[in-house]
């Protein structure tokens, strides 16, 4: 991905340090955090009003059929992976054979083996269906991913207009646009300098994210949505992009890597 060997003995960049953490940190608490179903209980401490409504849950892909689908726009998700979902705006227009096939693949896959992220190893797989979040214009809200280093907000990574322009912008704690992008190789064109407004619920996002970051002390990503001023909880991620996404320019990989001190951690023997 990077065109250079990874240094796991003396990691310097943020992406190298993410790889080091993947291989050396074992926190059973993290298994619950990355489970999109189990984590709902954890989020409740910050207020149940921020939970995305859960409409259905099953461990059997055969249950994903017309009679079990909600009558409102929804999103079908795998609880134990990344980027595994399908948006359903009209349940009568779904090819259920294809959707069941997809769900079957999700339930059979071991995301831990693919990503080498230990926290996924013991997640019990299931399929969940949540209400689709939409703003007053019927569009999916932006996804705000708050990255914390040493317990403090380093930057907010914004996924903007997922069903439209689908671009990425990154802001500092004072909502100043930063001149770099952090995306999978080959998707650099997703970066954009078009400014977006700071979400109305941003201070609450920062408050909750900071509390979560204290448990991990060093690095964590906490995601939120803002729907016309109302905050909803997203995901909690220990290793953004599995540590394989590229910084452009590359210097920011080093900048944030130098901020992250790994001396706190003990290696796994």
């Amino acid at each position: 991905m990077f065109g250079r060997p990874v240094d796991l003995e003396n990691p310097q960049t943020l992406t190298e340090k993410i790889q080091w953490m993947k291989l050396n940190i074992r926190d059973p608490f993290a298994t619950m955090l990355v489970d999109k179903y189990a984590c709902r209980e954890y989020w409740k401490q910050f207020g149940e009003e921020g939970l995305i409504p859960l409409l259905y849950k099953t461990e059997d892909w055969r249950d994903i059929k017309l009679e079990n689908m909600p009558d409102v726009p929804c999103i079908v998700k795998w609880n134990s992976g990344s980027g595994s979902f399908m948006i359903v705006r009209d349940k009568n227009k779904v090819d259920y054979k294809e959707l069941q096939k997809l769900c079957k693949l999700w339930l059979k896959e071991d995301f831990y083996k693919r990503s080498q992220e230990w926290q996924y190893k013991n997640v019990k797989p299931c399929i969940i269906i949540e209400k689709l979040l939409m703003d007053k214009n019927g569009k999916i809200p932006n996804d705000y991913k708050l990255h914390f280093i040493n317990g403090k907000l380093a930057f907010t990574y914004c996924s903007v207009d997922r069903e439209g322009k689908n671009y990425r912008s990154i802001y500092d704690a004072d909502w100043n646009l930063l001149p770099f992008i952090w995306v999978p190789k080959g998707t650099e064109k997703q970066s954009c300098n078009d400014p977006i407004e700071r979400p109305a619920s941003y201070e609450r996002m920062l408050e909750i994210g900071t509390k979560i970051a204290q448990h991990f002390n060093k690095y964590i990503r906490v995601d939120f949505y803002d729907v016309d001023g109302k905050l909803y909880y997203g995901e909690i991620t220990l290793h953004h992009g599995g540590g394989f996404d590229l910084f452009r320019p590359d210097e920011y990989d080093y900048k944030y890597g130098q901020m992250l001190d790994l001396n706190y951690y003990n290696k796994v023997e």
Side-chain angles (χ1 to χ4, degrees):
M1 291 292 184
F2 292 82
R4 62 175 183 264
V6 60
D7 185 349
L8 294 175
E9 294 301 318
N10 186 31
Q12 297 297 310
T13 67
L14 181 55
T15 49
E16 283 181 332
K17 290 183 176 183
I18 288 175
Q19 299 301 336
W20 188 96
M21 289 188 291
K22 282 167 59 176
L23 297 173
N24 290 288
I25 309 305
R26 301 290 183 264
D27 186 347
F29 179 61
T31 295
M32 179 273 295
L33 290 185
V34 301
D35 183 334
K36 297 177 181 63
Y37 176 70
C39 191
R40 295 177 62 86
E41 288 299 315
Y42 176 76
W43 281 116
K44 285 181 180 179
Q45 67 183 292
F46 304 110
E48 294 191 31
E49 67 277 4
L51 288 171
I52 301 173
L54 178 66
L55 305 177
Y56 192 73
K57 180 252 183 182
T58 183
E59 297 169 12
D60 189 341
W61 57 269
R62 299 173 187 83
D63 291 335
I64 305 302
K65 50 190 176 182
L66 178 63
E67 51 265 43
N68 290 332
M69 294 292 285
D71 294 323
V72 297
C74 62
I75 182 167
V76 183
K77 294 181 179 180
W78 177 33
N79 72 317
S80 178
S82 176
S84 302
F85 64 89
M86 177 176 284
I87 292 173
V88 176
R89 291 183 178 269
D90 184 345
K91 70 176 187 179
N92 295 304
K93 295 181 179 180
V94 175
D95 184 334
Y96 285 98
K97 285 186 177 180
E98 288 301 314
L99 181 53
Q100 286 185 342
K101 182 179 179 181
L102 185 61
C103 291
K104 184 179 181 180
L105 288 174
W106 291 343
L107 293 173
K108 289 177 64 177
E109 183 174 359
D110 187 336
F111 192 74
Y112 161 68
K113 289 183 179 179
R114 189 214 300 182
S115 70
Q116 289 299 294
E117 297 178 72
W118 180 87
Q119 63 271 20
Y120 288 100
K121 186 174 184 179
N122 298 310
V123 175
K124 186 177 181 179
C126 68
I127 302 296
I128 59 174
I129 301 178
E130 295 176 338
K131 182 179 179 180
L132 183 66
L133 296 182
M134 295 184 290
D135 64 20
K136 59 186 177 183
N137 298 314
K139 299 181 69 174
I140 293 175
N142 297 339
D143 188 356
Y144 301 98
K145 304 175 183 294
L146 280 63
H147 292 252
F148 293 86
I149 294 177
N150 305 329
K152 296 182 179 180
L153 180 67
F155 54 84
T156 298
Y157 176 114
C158 308
S159 296
V160 181
D161 193 16
R162 281 284 182 93
E163 291 185 301
K165 294 179 180 179
N166 194 28
Y167 65 82
R168 309 289 181 264
S169 294
I170 299 177
Y171 292 82
D172 67 12
D174 296 317
W175 208 255
N176 297 306
L177 186 65
L178 294 171
F180 72 92
I181 197 67
W182 191 15
V183 293
K185 187 175 183 178
T187 66
E188 289 85 354
K189 291 183 179 180
Q190 285 185 320
S191 63
C192 183
N193 291 324
D194 291 347
I196 61 173
E197 292 184 3
R198 184 167 70 171
S201 60
Y202 188 68
E203 291 304 318
R204 181 61 174 155
M205 294 180 189
L206 181 56
E207 178 186 352
I208 296 173
T210 300
K211 288 179 180 178
I212 295 172
Q214 303 318 300
H215 175 87
F216 294 91
N217 194 41
K218 292 305 176 184
Y219 174 80
I220 192 74
R221 194 193 89 200
V222 188
D223 301 355
F224 300 93
Y225 302 98
D226 181 287
V227 181
D228 302 324
K230 179 174 170 52
L231 178 144
Y232 286 95
Y233 313 131
E235 300 178 13
I236 299 174
T237 300
L238 278 69
H239 312 118
H240 175 82
F244 296 119
D245 286 6
L246 305 179
F247 278 90
R248 291 291 185 264
D250 193 50
E251 65 193 74
Y252 287 90
D253 199 359
Y254 288 89
K255 175 182 177 177
Y256 291 105
Q258 296 309 298
M259 292 172 58
L260 179 58
D261 180 10
L262 294 180
N263 291 327
Y264 168 81
Y265 296 114
N266 293 317
K267 282 190 175 184
V268 173
E269 298 298 334

